[in-house]
Amino acid sequence: MPRPRDPNTLDMFIDWQPPQVAVTLPPEVTTGGNLASQIARAVSRALKVSELSREQIAQAMTDYLGEEISKNMLDAYASEARECHRITLERFVALIQVTDQHGLLGFVAEQFGLVVVPERYSDLIELHFIEEQERALAARKSAKLARWKAGR
């Protein structure tokens, strides 16, 4: 008879999820429509998933920027239909700062074929690039040595 499963222990094949390294948004937010629509959906998602209310976000953005940001402005930025009300870069940065929704940074980076990763991974990424360069140099060295030996 199989042993009963301990409900307090994670099954590494079922329950465990590896940590997400790249900062991204779900595809339903970032695909379809024009760029303005995608930005509005990204802003809308950030407002929805934040633990703060829209009023609290507006107040925190006001404090961060030193200029008045209202809930109505946030609502307009999050609406695909409100084409005349698009979020500015400084307000976008303030929204990220206040809501802690770094997926918005990933959304911007993806427009250029890039990803955003937490800073704590930067040394690992650089080490990977160094190892790639070392392998490329070793391959070039081997090829040069083989040609030199063949030419003697």
Side-chain angles (χ1 to χ4, degrees):
M1 177 196 286
R3 226 169 77 189
R5 183 170 180 243
D6 176 6
N8 298 318
T9 302
L10 292 178
D11 182 323
M12 68 183 255
F13 298 109
I14 297 171
D15 303 317
W16 183 78
Q17 294 294 321
Q20 182 178 355
V21 176
V23 178
T24 60
L25 288 175
E28 63 269 13
V29 174
T30 60
T31 56
N34 61 23
L35 183 58
S37 292
Q38 292 173 13
I39 292 169
R41 286 194 305 268
V43 168
S44 176
R45 182 181 184 281
L47 295 172
K48 284 178 188 168
V49 300
S50 175
E51 295 177 1
L52 303 173
S53 70
R54 289 188 183 201
E55 291 83 4
Q56 291 171 315
I57 293 170
Q59 184 58 54
M61 288 177 66
T62 296
D63 296 342
Y64 181 80
L65 293 170
E67 64 181 72
E68 183 65 31
I69 306 294
S70 69
K71 176 194 174 294
N72 289 339
M73 293 167 78
L74 295 178
D75 292 341
Y77 297 148
S79 171
E80 292 182 66
R82 304 280 301 270
E83 294 178 6
C84 295
H85 295 279
R86 295 185 177 166
I87 192 165
T88 63
L89 180 58
E90 60 269 14
R91 292 176 183 177
F92 192 77
V93 169
L95 179 65
I96 295 167
Q97 183 70 32
V98 166
T99 62
D100 206 33
Q101 296 299 310
H102 298 119
L104 295 171
L105 290 171
F107 168 76
V108 173
E110 287 170 1
Q111 304 300 310
F112 303 96
L114 303 171
V115 296
V116 174
V117 295
E119 186 177 10
R120 69 179 178 265
Y121 296 115
S122 65
D123 286 340
L124 291 173
I125 292 168
E126 186 174 0
L127 285 171
H128 177 75
F129 285 133
I130 291 169
E131 288 170 355
E132 283 183 339
Q133 291 172 344
E134 287 174 339
R135 283 191 294 274
L137 285 172
R140 282 180 57 199
K141 182 178 179 180
S142 293
K144 294 284 184 187
L145 281 172
R147 264 199 311 218
W148 184 76
K149 288 178 181 178
R152 290 197 311 169

